[in-house]
């Protein structure tokens, strides 16, 4: 068993007695950008010294910049059903919450997709509650098919990441055949007693089955899996160490660890009160967690949602976050309902800006917001992606692709302000592209985009 509670607690305890010099040794090792093992991560988790913590923040920023460059991947969630047989204490969709449940018809799915496309989105995370009778795998597959087929002028969803409950190898195989991007599943908490308390009398309450979901998904051929913890349920140090052990387990068994790690923090939802959760993370601890994850697994994307407000999102982009959502709604049929009135949300969000507003801030902060989905569509997934990432080769395709996807966005969904920002951005990175020998290629493709062609990835 790769998660052993006594072992995790022992490692964390031992790390408390480590000298400042040993901590410095781990920080120096992290500077090589090759990642850290779980024992080293345990040491960083125990840092109290401000100076050493500042070094971690700085290093996390440098590592992120050197591996991801300036690009930030954009996505939005799409909720298609809130039927749920589980009773997760923290969740607004728990079965004890009485409200009219619904699942979207395929026509309604298409309506939501068109709204998302008209905001410029190309990548979505498909979200549902768990209900094998009302929402069987065939319904999910039908939704995936509808989403990929629904176009809106130049708009199309090019990558669907799927965040559905733990399921069987056979169902994972079906998802693989439906061409999903990443299969995302949050462990919620790795701490078994807390897990069982949070998921009373339900299918989701089976800790071991949930924990081994990625084993089944990868056995079924899914290359990219995205893990995560719902921070606020249990001790964050325990959770981060367990995440690292889970990652090591996948690396050993499948030669590739998490493609992404999500860092959701518990938010207010219907039928729960934040006061009942003693492990809520303050902002400082949260920042520390993100920075440590960044230097521990430099090649794993870190995803931050609109659960967080714009100030924290802006700061965490500097410490390691590489992927963010924008314009999100967490209710079923919510994109249409948002235009019309109230929808039942799974939890509260804190960054209500439109994607266009988020993009403008990103560009003015020096980032390249990216709608690129090329890797997965060109077969650069799983171990293949990691090899390219670790050798740095991926850089030569990522930045041009990100820029081209941004140009595409500005042409189809932008206003004059962002078009001007994008022109200035192109001017400012010309020399970098010259050095990478890709300037001519990028310039000619931007011309082709301006002439109406689309989807021009390297
Ligand atoms: N039902 C699926 C499952 O069991 O994994 C899909 C997950 S749900 C649509 C997405 C995630 O929202 C959950 O995994 C959980 O971590 C998160 N979530 C639930 N309640 C939340 C809350 N009150 N605040 C923040 N995130 C929450």
């Amino acid at each position: 068993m790769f998660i052993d509670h006594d072992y995790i607690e022992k490692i964390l305890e031992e790390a408390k007695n480590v000298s400042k010099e040993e901590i410095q040794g781990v920080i120096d090792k992290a500077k090589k950008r090759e990642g850290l093992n779980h024992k080293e991560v345990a040491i960083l988790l125990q840092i109290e010294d401000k100076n050493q913590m500042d070094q971690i923040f700085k290093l996390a920023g440098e590592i992120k910049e050197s591996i991801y460059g300036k690009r930030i991947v954009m996505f939005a969630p799409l909720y298609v059903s809130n039927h749920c047989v589980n009773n997760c204490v923290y969740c607004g969709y728990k079965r004890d919450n009485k409200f009219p449940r619904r699942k979207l018809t395929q026509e309604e799915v298409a309506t939501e997709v068109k709204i998302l496309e008209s905001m410029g989105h190309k990548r979505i995370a498909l979200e549902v509650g768990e209900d094998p009778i009302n929402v069987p795998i065939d319904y999910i597959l039908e939704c995936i098919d509808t989403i990929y087929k629904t176009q809106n002028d130049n708009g199309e969803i090019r990558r669907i990441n799927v965040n559905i409950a733990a399921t069987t190898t056979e169902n994972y195989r079906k998802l693989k055949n439906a061409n999903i991007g990443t299969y995302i599943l949050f462990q919620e908490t790795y701490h078994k007693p807390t897990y069982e308390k949070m998921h009373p009398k339900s299918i989701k309450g089976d800790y071991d089955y949930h924990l081994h979901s990625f084993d089944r998904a990868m056995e079924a051929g899914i290359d990219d899996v995205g893990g995560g913890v719902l921070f606020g349920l249990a001790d964050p140090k325990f959770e981060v160490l367990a995440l690292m052990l889970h990652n090591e387990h996948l690396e050993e068994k499948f030669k590739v660890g998490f493609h992404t790690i999500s860092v959701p923090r518990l938010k207010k939802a219907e039928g729960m009160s934040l006061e009942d959760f003693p492990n809520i993370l303050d902002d400082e601890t949260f920042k520390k967690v993100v920075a440590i994850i960044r230097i521990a697994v430099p090649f794993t994307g870190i995803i931050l949602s609109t659960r967080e407000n714009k100030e924290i999102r802006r700061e965490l982009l500097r410490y390691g976050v590489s992927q963010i959502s924008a314009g999100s709604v967490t209710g079923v049929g919510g994109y249409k309902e948002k235009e019309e009135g109230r929808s039942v949300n799974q939890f509260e969000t804190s960054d209500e800006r439109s994607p266009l507003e988020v993009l403008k801030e990103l560009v003015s902060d020096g980032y390249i917001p990216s709608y690129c989905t090329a890797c997965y569509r060109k077969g650069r997934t799983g171990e293949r992606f990691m090899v390219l990432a670790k050798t740095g080769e991926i850089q030569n395709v990522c930045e041009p692709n990100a820029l081209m996807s941004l140009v595409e966005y500005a042409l189809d969904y932008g206003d004059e302000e962002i078009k001007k920002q994008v022109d200035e951005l192109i001017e400012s990175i010309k020399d970098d592209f010259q050095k990478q020998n890709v300037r001519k290629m990028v310039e000619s493709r931007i011309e082709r985009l301006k002439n109406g062609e689309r989807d021009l990835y390297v």
Side-chain angles (χ1 to χ4, degrees):
M1 179 62 151
F2 54 91
I3 300 294
D4 175 337
H5 286 52
D6 291 341
Y7 177 74
I8 293 177
E9 271 151 20
K10 181 174 136 260
I11 297 286
L12 282 173
E13 207 44 49
E14 283 171 7
K16 281 187 188 158
N17 304 318
V18 165
S19 67
K20 269 197 166 172
E21 290 67 37
E22 281 174 277
I23 297 176
Q24 198 57 47
V26 176
I27 298 177
D28 292 341
K29 183 183 168 202
K31 289 182 183 156
K32 293 189 188 145
R33 286 145 216 238
E34 287 164 3
L36 298 174
N37 64 41
H38 66 271
K39 288 190 179 163
E40 292 157 343
V41 171
I43 290 173
L44 299 189
L45 287 167
Q46 300 294 14
I47 293 182
E48 301 281 346
D49 181 82
K50 186 175 172 314
N51 176 281
Q52 285 185 318
M53 211 44 238
D54 286 346
Q55 285 189 56
I56 300 274
F57 286 131
K58 188 163 168 279
L59 182 57
E62 287 166 4
I63 288 182
K64 193 202 146 193
E65 170 95 31
S66 74
I67 290 172
Y68 294 84
K70 302 184 191 76
R71 66 192 196 284
I72 304 293
V73 173
M74 307 299 299
F75 78 101
L78 172 58
Y79 284 72
V80 293
S81 164
N82 52 24
H83 285 278
C84 200
V85 294
N86 295 319
N87 220 7
C88 312
V89 175
Y90 47 82
C91 180
Y93 286 170
K94 70 177 112 181
R95 66 168 186 256
D96 278 357
N97 279 356
K98 301 299 174 205
F99 62 91
R101 304 277 167 164
R102 63 184 290 215
K103 71 175 185 198
L104 299 182
T105 63
Q106 294 311 306
E107 217 181 332
E108 288 170 326
V109 171
T111 303
E112 291 288 286
V113 170
K114 283 184 183 163
I115 298 173
L116 283 163
E117 287 169 349
S118 68
M119 291 190 241
H121 283 296
K122 301 279 187 274
R123 173 192 294 250
I124 60 158
L126 182 63
E127 310 275 344
V128 291
E130 179 166 17
D131 187 337
I133 307 283
N134 288 305
V135 190
I137 191 74
D138 288 343
Y139 171 76
I140 309 283
L141 297 172
E142 224 185 317
C143 290
I144 292 173
D145 189 48
T146 302
I147 297 165
Y148 276 138
K149 281 187 180 144
T150 302
Q151 301 230 339
N152 188 5
D153 298 323
N154 285 333
E156 60 182 358
I157 299 300
R158 298 176 184 159
R159 176 176 178 132
I160 306 174
N161 295 334
V162 174
N163 182 193
I164 65 164
T167 186
T168 59
T169 311
E170 194 191 335
N171 285 347
Y172 286 130
R173 209 166 281 126
K174 291 180 182 171
L175 289 173
K176 162 80 185 165
N177 292 336
N179 255 331
I180 66 162
T182 311
Y183 171 61
I184 296 172
L185 183 70
F186 305 156
Q187 179 58 33
E188 318 298 7
T189 171
Y190 284 93
H191 189 252
K192 193 170 180 184
T194 308
Y195 186 93
E196 286 171 350
K197 207 168 118 200
M198 291 297 146
H199 305 101
K201 295 196 196 89
S202 58
I203 308 185
K204 190 160 169 177
D206 186 340
Y207 176 89
D208 286 338
Y209 186 71
H210 197 85
L211 187 63
H212 288 92
S213 299
F214 291 148
D215 295 73
R216 294 191 298 282
M218 287 183 137
E219 274 153 18
I222 292 181
D223 288 332
D224 292 339
V225 296
V229 158
L230 182 53
F231 284 101
L233 301 183
D235 172 20
K237 292 179 185 168
F238 184 97
E239 304 286 29
V240 174
L241 203 58
L243 257 178
M244 294 302 121
L245 285 161
H246 195 171
N247 189 57
E248 285 175 15
H249 162 75
L250 295 175
E251 276 182 346
E252 269 163 36
K253 194 165 162 191
F254 301 100
K255 296 207 188 80
V256 54
F258 294 131
H259 186 68
T260 54
I261 289 179
S262 298
V263 289
R265 249 198 314 183
L266 193 64
K267 293 285 148 179
K268 170 79 188 102
E270 196 61 41
M272 65 82 116
S273 164
L274 288 177
E275 281 154 27
D276 296 333
F277 295 85
N279 287 301
I280 300 273
L281 267 66
D282 58 47
D283 290 352
E284 276 317 302
T285 311
F286 189 46
K287 288 176 206 166
K288 191 168 160 180
V289 160
V290 171
I292 291 175
I293 295 177
R294 170 45 63 236
I295 67 179
V297 285
F299 299 98
T300 300
I302 299 183
I303 302 181
L304 191 67
S305 74
T306 58
R307 287 175 183 85
E308 301 300 331
N309 66 36
K310 62 178 185 186
E311 289 78 21
I312 291 260
R313 275 159 51 99
R314 197 175 189 186
E315 193 169 355
L316 287 179
L317 284 170
R318 293 209 306 271
Y319 303 150
V321 166
S322 55
Q323 196 171 135
I324 60 170
S325 48
S328 310
V329 173
T330 65
V332 176
Y335 292 102
K336 180 153 180 277
E337 282 180 6
K338 195 177 177 188
E339 295 172 348
E340 295 167 354
R342 180 183 141 67
S343 69
V344 182
N345 294 327
Q346 192 199 7
F347 50 82
E348 285 177 3
T349 51
S350 307
D351 183 348
E352 308 301 339
R353 292 173 297 166
S354 69
L356 181 59
E357 288 169 302
V358 174
L359 258 59
K360 284 180 185 173
E361 181 181 276
L362 286 172
V363 179
S364 77
D365 284 349
Y367 296 110
I368 312 176
S370 173
Y371 287 96
C372 176
T373 52
C375 276
Y376 129 89
R377 292 158 92 223
K378 294 197 177 249
R380 295 189 292 252
T381 57
E383 199 189 340
R384 207 174 147 220
F385 170 82
M386 281 300 169
V387 170
L388 285 170
K390 288 180 182 173
T391 55
E393 277 174 65
I394 201 85
Q395 280 301 346
N396 299 342
V397 297
C398 281
E399 212 138 280
N401 279 345
L403 184 68
M404 288 187 287
S405 77
L406 179 61
V407 170
E408 203 178 318
Y409 173 91
L411 289 168
D412 289 341
Y413 310 102
D415 58 10
E416 287 315 309
E417 188 184 343
I418 198 153
K419 283 184 184 150
K420 187 163 168 274
Q421 280 182 304
V422 172
D423 284 342
E424 285 166 7
L425 177 66
I426 295 172
E427 200 50 39
S428 74
I429 51 179
K430 259 182 4 202
D431 291 346
D432 290 351
F433 285 159
Q434 182 79 34
K435 282 186 214 134
Q436 288 166 286
N437 259 335
V438 291
R439 182 169 160 187
K440 273 208 176 105
M441 181 273 294
V442 174
E443 284 176 350
S444 88
R445 285 184 191 217
I446 289 177
E447 252 345 277
R448 283 165 61 194
L449 288 170
K450 287 184 176 162
N451 289 328
E453 279 187 70
R454 289 292 173 265
D455 204 2
L456 298 176
Y457 293 129
V458 190

